[in-house]
Amino acid sequence: MNGKFDIESIEKPTNQDITIVFLPSNNVTSYTYQIYKDNIPLNSVTVDSGKETSIEMKETGIYKISVNLNLKNGHFENITSGEYIIDKEAPKISVSAKSLEITPTKEKNIIKCTATDNYNGSLTDKITSNIENLTLNKAGNYTYTCLVQDEAGNVAQTSANIKVTPHNTSVFIIQAICLIIIFALIIRIIKLFKVVKLEDRLDPYVIRPLKNDTLSTSKKLRAIYREFLNMFTSKLKKSVVATKYAKKLDKYTIVSGVHKSGFDILSGKIIIACSLTVMVIIIKAFQFKLLGSMETLGVFVLGFFVLDIYLFAKYKVFRWTLESDFTAAITIMNNSFKSGRSISQAIDIVSTEVGGLIGSEFKRMSLELLYGLDIEQVFKRFAKRVELEEASYLTASLTILNKTGGDIIKVFSSIERSLFDKRKLRLELKSLTSGSRIIVYILLGIPFFFVLIISFISPGYFLPFVTTDIGRILLLFMIIYYIIFVVVVRKIMKVVI
């Protein structure tokens, strides 16, 4: 070998400058050395004698040295060094929250630190902190410090301020008073609704003077509510989006009572959402706190869909009752035909024997027959009003009977048997899928259950989801994923009979 480096290579990175001395042998007349940084050639230097030279490397990077030797015998030789690693960049360290206000807790992992290095990669597991020395179960101001050192000796440090505030007794008292007031209002509203219902029941039997302009309590409340509805409805009718959404809510007007159109229901949703938001803001104000933008949006959305849940449940019960009453009406009509009654007489019997909407609809059909409408037209109008698939079958069957003739008893017996079989099949299907539905409901509720339990055990565990940008993005993706999961499961579980 006609030359050598005093340091062939280094195994670990260093944050110091490196000076390499190249020692040529006596056979070397001259040589040229080339420095490579991260495989990129830098300056090339020629030494016209056989003297040793010093090569300096100061910046961060992975270096190599290549030397071309000119020997006395006229030959050439190349010598290449190993790697020299210089790392002067400190690791990047971040903390989940720069400042945090909590109540006394024994939980230590309320703030997370992460660290990455340009050479060593992730150094999170090598972070040291003073969290064990902080007494977070006592009120006071604390500084949480994270420190990490890479393999080259570069050090990075960051800190966060933790303010531990004691449980404020006055806040608890104000909260308790607010809860008592709200509870008292709820009881008062429930009693008021009972009074209103009782007043409505007794209203037809009350003897009033000829001139009586006083309104009952229920009518006063409905009048006030109607004023608010009309105010919102007049504004919403100007919006195309609101008009399309209101059309989807029209089907619930039949069970709502107070709301006469989809616009009224949409206005009621907005009123409830605004009322709930104002109530929460007042409660927060009593606690000397402000409601955040995300919290306000969450409360408003929750209030906006409260009426939907109520009307959806009521509509489901109504449709189930309607189908049951219609099946009973078909049975009564079939028995009437077997006893020799006509269609109009069978309709009169159903109107007196069956209650609810079906009973009132059959009374209306009886009046339409008295006014001169034919049976086919009367049943078509009935099917359009109740929007039952079975009513459409009945109307089609009667239309065919009127045009072609036939045994009406056999036709109604067939319809009655079909309705009973369909109802029986639905009950059997509900029984067979009950286990699957329970599993689905459990799967849908597990995320909320675990969030509630973990939040109770560690109040600050989910704070990064609302205090950091990446946390908000992840929270949004989780909500979207959950909604997609609910929609897909509903599609899979839906069985049309």
Side-chain angles (χ1 to χ4, degrees), residues 251-356:
K251 65 178 182 180
Y252 296 121
T253 55
I254 196 169
V255 296
S256 178
V258 181
H259 308 96
K260 298 178 181 179
S261 65
F263 280 107
D264 286 348
I265 296 176
L266 180 57
S267 301
K269 286 159 62 97
I270 296 174
I271 291 171
I272 293 173
C274 293
S275 302
L276 184 61
T277 305
V278 171
M279 185 184 299
V280 175
I281 290 174
I282 292 173
I283 293 174
K284 281 287 186 179
F286 275 117
Q287 300 175 2
F288 305 103
K289 294 181 180 180
L290 294 176
L291 197 66
S293 57
M294 294 299 295
E295 293 175 328
T296 304
L297 180 62
V299 173
F300 185 86
V301 171
L302 179 64
F304 187 78
F305 289 104
V306 165
L307 188 59
D308 285 279
I309 296 170
Y310 170 73
L311 291 178
F312 178 78
K314 196 172 181 181
Y315 185 75
K316 281 288 186 181
V317 174
F318 167 76
R319 295 295 295 183
W320 181 261
T321 307
L322 188 66
E323 292 175 3
S324 301
D325 292 343
F326 185 75
T327 304
I330 295 298
T331 303
I332 293 173
M333 289 186 72
N334 190 28
N335 292 333
S336 300
F337 294 144
K338 289 179 181 178
S339 61
R341 306 293 178 90
S342 64
I343 295 179
S344 59
Q345 289 174 332
I347 292 173
D348 290 334
I349 293 172
V350 172
S351 65
T352 56
E353 295 294 332
V354 180

Side-chain angles (χ1 to χ4, degrees), residues 103-120:
T103 55
T105 178
K106 293 181 180 179
E107 179 66 33
K108 294 294 184 180
N109 297 324
I110 57 174
I111 295 183
K112 305 290 184 182
C113 276
T114 56
T116 56
D117 184 63
N118 62 322
Y119 184 77
N120 298 113

